């Protein structure tokens, strides 16, 4: 029997200006230092619990961390007695005692962060199985969590606005541009990292720099009964926006049904296979992301 195991990874692009690997390391460490947990789904909260260098004392080459998701109990909310089928009495509640620093139903999720490309990759399967089953964490919850952390006063004072975007499915923006009747197209682009630019990103970065602009939003609306004809400049902007912002298309499918498609709605994910007899799950995460965008391969 094969001992191969599998898990899924997703990615998050974190952008702040000015860019520098050291600055991104400082940002991640500041987020950890906040000790702040954020509600991401009902009573489920998420927080950063661990962060360390991937390569000895050289954090700019990569950081390894762990997110913790747990149940946050509101002690002031109502309690229910399942034996009596009634609301718990004050006398019953007096017998309830939970230390403020403990949280139940904890799940852990490993991640790596590459400062040169300001990209975070996370294993969306929990590290521990409960009753033989693993829990999963959506990249949407990770984005929501990071956005809240990066909006804390201690963070904004030092880093200003921090843009958080889930890495999109690499073909989603092509699907949007290929809608049979593309009536409305919205492209938002945040100025990309100048250190690792593709040809398309270089073009957009140069344009934004000349205009002294950090973000651009372009909106196209088709003539009545027509479909937008995407030219090369718009395609380039959409390609960059897919990885550094978002692209939204409104139109109609072949059957005439209205369609709304967004790069945010279709995040990128990839499956990782590994053999637990020769590799840990964390090592498999490192290996799987070591050649993905954002990784610094320069020996140091």
């Amino acid at each position: 029997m094969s001992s191969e195991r599998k898990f899924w990874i997703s990615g998050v692009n974190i952008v702040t200006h000015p860019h520098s690997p050291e600055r991104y390391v400082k940002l991640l460490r500041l987020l950890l230092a906040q000790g702040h947990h954020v509600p991401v789904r009902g009573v489920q909260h998420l927080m950063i619990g661990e962060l360390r260098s991937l390569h000895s004392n050289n954090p700019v080459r990569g950081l390894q961390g762990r997110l913790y998701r747990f149940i946050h109990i509101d002690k002031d909310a109502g309690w229910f007695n399942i034996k009596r089928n009634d609301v718990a009495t004050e006398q019953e509640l007096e017998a309830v005692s939970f230390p403020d620093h403990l949280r139940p139903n904890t799940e852990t999720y490993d991640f790596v962060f590459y400062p040169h490309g300001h990209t975070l990759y996370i294993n969306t399967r929990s590290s521990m199985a409960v009753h033989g089953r693993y829990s999963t964490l959506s990249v949407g919850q990770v984005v929501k969590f990071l956005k809240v952390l990066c909006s804390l006063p201690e963070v904004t004072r030092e880093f200003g606005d921090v843009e958080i975007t889930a890495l999109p499915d690499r073909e989603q923006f092509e699907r949007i541009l290929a809608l049979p009747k593309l009536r409305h197209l919205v492209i938002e682009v945040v100025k990309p990292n100048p250190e690792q630019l593709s040809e398309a990103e270089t073009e957009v970065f140069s344009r934004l720099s000349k205009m002294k602009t950090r973000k651009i939003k372009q909106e196209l609306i088709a003539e009545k009964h027509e479909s937008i004809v995407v030219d090369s400049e718009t395609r380039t902007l959409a390609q960059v926006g897919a990885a550094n912002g978002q692209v939204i298309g409104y139109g109609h499918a072949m059957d005439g049904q209205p369609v709304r498609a967004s790069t945010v709605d279709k995040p990128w994910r990839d499956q990782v296979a590994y053999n637990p007899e020769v590799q840990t799950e964390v090592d498999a995460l490192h290996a799987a992301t070591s050649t993905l965008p954002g990784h610094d391969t320069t020996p140091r």
Side-chain angles (χ1 to χ4, degrees):
M1 178 182 296
S2 172
S3 59
E4 184 181 77
R5 295 182 184 176
K6 298 178 181 179
F7 60 87
W8 289 91
I9 60 173
S10 290
V12 178
N13 190 26
I14 302 174
V15 178
T16 183
H17 291 278
H19 287 284
S20 81
E22 292 78 11
R23 186 171 166 82
Y24 282 108
V25 170
K26 191 174 184 180
L27 171 62
L28 264 289
R29 286 176 171 170
L30 180 59
L31 297 185
L32 170 68
Q34 299 309 299
H36 196 78
H37 52 88
V38 176
V40 291
R41 184 181 180 186
V43 295
Q44 288 186 324
H45 284 220
L46 200 62
M47 74 177 294
I48 302 175
E50 300 176 30
L51 190 68
R52 61 180 183 273
S53 298
L54 271 175
H55 303 277
S56 301
N57 297 319
N58 198 351
V60 297
R61 292 194 61 199
L63 299 171
Q64 173 186 318
R66 180 168 283 184
L67 299 184
Y68 289 81
R69 187 172 66 181
F70 48 77
I71 300 298
H72 178 71
I73 297 176
D74 183 352
K75 295 181 179 180
D76 296 326
W79 290 70
F80 186 73
N81 187 320
I82 61 175
K83 288 186 177 180
R84 294 190 297 102
N85 280 353
D86 199 359
V87 175
T89 65
E90 291 186 9
Q91 290 76 18
E92 289 172 327
L93 292 179
E94 289 176 357
V96 178
S97 177
F98 287 102
D100 288 337
H101 62 283
L102 297 182
R103 297 291 186 273
N105 296 56
T106 298
E107 304 157 0
T108 60
Y109 299 88
D110 294 308
F111 70 85
V112 290
F113 177 73
Y114 297 115
H116 278 269
H118 48 84
T119 308
L120 182 148
Y121 294 100
I122 185 161
N123 178 352
T124 58
R125 190 186 75 168
S126 60
S127 303
M128 301 177 293
V130 178
H131 304 303
R133 299 186 63 181
Y134 291 93
S135 297
T136 58
L137 175 68
S138 74
V139 70
Q141 289 186 1
V142 178
V143 168
K144 178 180 180 181
F145 164 67
L146 291 174
K147 282 185 174 181
V148 172
L149 280 191
C150 289
S151 67
L152 295 175
E154 295 85 352
V155 180
T156 58
R157 271 198 301 268
E158 185 162 358
F159 293 92
D161 293 333
V162 181
E163 302 289 343
I164 311 292
T165 309
L167 297 184
D169 180 279
R170 295 185 176 101
E171 297 180 357
Q172 177 68 352
F173 94 95
E174 289 286 2
R175 298 188 190 102
I176 294 172
L177 300 187
L179 284 174
K181 281 288 184 180
L182 182 57
R183 300 283 304 147
H184 186 185
L185 181 64
V186 179
I187 304 171
E188 295 183 17
V189 181
V190 177
K191 197 174 185 179
N193 180 1
E195 292 186 3
Q196 295 186 335
L197 298 180
S198 65
E199 184 177 345
E201 288 174 324
T202 299
E203 182 179 331
V204 173
F205 178 83
S206 176
R207 179 183 174 194
L208 292 178
S209 296
K210 288 178 181 178
M211 295 190 294
K212 308 297 183 184
T213 303
R214 185 175 62 86
K215 183 188 294 187
I216 185 172
K217 180 177 180 179
Q218 180 170 302
E219 189 167 3
L220 292 84
I221 300 175
E223 295 278 5
K224 190 174 182 179
H225 305 306
E226 296 292 341
S227 180
I228 295 171
V229 177
V230 178
D231 60 16
S232 59
E233 183 176 339
T234 302
R235 177 175 290 277
T236 297
L237 191 64
Q239 181 182 345
V240 178
N244 301 274
Q246 67 173 334
V247 180
I248 308 171
Y250 302 85
H252 294 84
M254 294 296 292
D255 60 3
Q257 292 297 312
V259 175
R260 178 195 181 278
S262 167
T263 52
V264 174
D265 298 336
K266 185 74 173 176
W268 168 85
R269 67 176 193 152
D270 196 20
Q271 192 174 61
V272 177
Y274 72 103
N275 185 338
E277 295 179 1
V278 298
Q279 191 178 39
T280 68
E281 194 164 306
V282 173
D283 288 340
L285 175 63
H286 297 170
T289 59
S290 64
T291 58
L292 293 178
H295 181 69
D296 174 34
T297 57
T298 304
R300 296 176 189 275

